[in-house]
Amino acid sequence: MPTLILVRHGRSTANTAGVLAGWTPGVALDERGTAQAAALPGRLAELPISEVVTSPLQRCQETLRPLLDARPGLRAHTDERIGECHYGDWSGRKLAELMDEPLMKVVQSHPSAAAFPGGESMRAMQTRAAEAVREWNARIERDHGADAVYLMCSHGDIIKSLVADALGLHLDLFQRISVEPCSITAIRYTRLRPFLVRLGDTGDFASLAPRAAPPGEDAPVGGGAGAP
């Protein structure tokens, strides 16, 4: 079965503003995110990518633009099932403000029981994304062979949930996974089990250096902004 390359979108204006974007329209890449997207074709240059699938949201479309320009033979297929979690009434709100919501403790510690007001549950988010990957795996293998490599550009919580699915981790453990903006995660699927072969690889270790304000104990909902 194919190897899936998961790319989280580059850093966005919502990431730097500390806002939970969700499906809010008009959220674009910021200056750093644009540079991250521009570097993506070089990072992936040695991979024979057979197909590209993307979230419909602007920040993912912008992340893929340099790659598609560099490979005119590729076109992006849009799949809403790998779009961001539907955060409902939380969309567009400051993350700092959301930390005081009682639901945030559930999102952090028991996400399989978390459902966003006016949105969807995290369990439903994982289910739709995993179903999309399984359907695309079958389609890619049919059209390009069992050794094919394809790419999906998606969002932090979606990618974390797919990693948890591949590792057989309960969704309640997925907040232990971290994927920075424009990081690359690779999962090689086989008939019996998937293999996680890369996780959140940016090629940049700056985010591991000590910071003036150390990161907190909670996972950043939506994926966080990455290195400063």
Side-chain angles (χ1 to χ4, degrees):
M1 296 181 72
T3 295
L4 170 59
I5 307 299
L6 288 160
V7 177
R8 185 184 167 199
H9 62 79
R11 196 173 75 175
S12 74
T13 53
N15 293 145
T16 46
V19 169
L20 186 63
W23 285 69
T24 304
V27 176
L29 298 185
D30 68 5
E31 185 176 353
R32 180 173 183 151
T34 300
Q36 291 170 332
L40 195 59
R43 293 170 62 197
L44 298 172
E46 296 184 21
L47 290 180
I49 299 170
S50 59
E51 299 277 0
V52 171
V53 187
T54 182
S55 157
L57 296 174
Q58 179 179 338
R59 52 198 183 273
C60 287
Q61 307 273 343
E62 291 179 352
T63 299
L64 286 178
R65 192 167 298 143
L67 178 65
L68 296 174
D69 288 345
R71 302 195 189 198
L74 282 178
R75 72 179 184 90
H77 305 274
T78 300
D79 193 326
E80 292 196 357
R81 294 174 297 176
I82 63 167
E84 181 62 284
C85 184
H86 291 277
Y87 295 117
D89 297 343
W90 279 26
S91 299
R93 292 177 63 187
K94 288 278 190 180
L95 287 165
E97 170 191 319
L98 291 170
M99 296 307 294
D100 295 330
E101 294 280 355
L103 177 61
M104 182 59 83
K105 291 184 178 180
V106 182
V107 171
Q108 292 292 329
S109 302
H110 190 19
S112 65
F116 296 98
E120 70 179 333
S121 68
M122 301 198 90
R123 189 174 61 254
M125 172 199 75
Q126 183 187 44
T127 297
R128 62 172 164 85
E131 287 179 350
V133 166
R134 282 161 175 75
E135 288 181 20
W136 277 102
N137 282 348
R139 177 172 171 174
I140 297 297
E141 182 172 5
R142 181 196 69 205
D143 294 345
H144 301 282
D147 295 327
V149 176
Y150 76 108
L151 182 148
M152 283 185 168
C153 187
S154 188
H155 306 266
D157 282 349
I158 295 289
I159 294 173
K160 287 162 56 177
S161 74
L162 290 171
V163 169
D165 175 75
L167 292 177
L169 290 177
H170 197 282
L171 184 61
D172 285 345
L173 301 179
F174 101 126
Q175 298 288 28
R176 302 183 183 192
I177 299 164
S178 175
V179 289
E180 292 192 4
C182 223
S183 64
I184 293 172
T185 295
I187 302 171
R188 180 167 60 85
Y189 288 88
T190 74
R191 294 296 176 191
L192 298 181
R193 63 183 66 86
F195 293 88
L196 179 66
V197 293
R198 292 288 188 281
L199 176 61
D201 187 346
T202 63
D204 178 2
F205 296 102
S207 64
L208 302 180
R211 303 185 190 181
E217 294 184 352
D218 289 334
V221 180

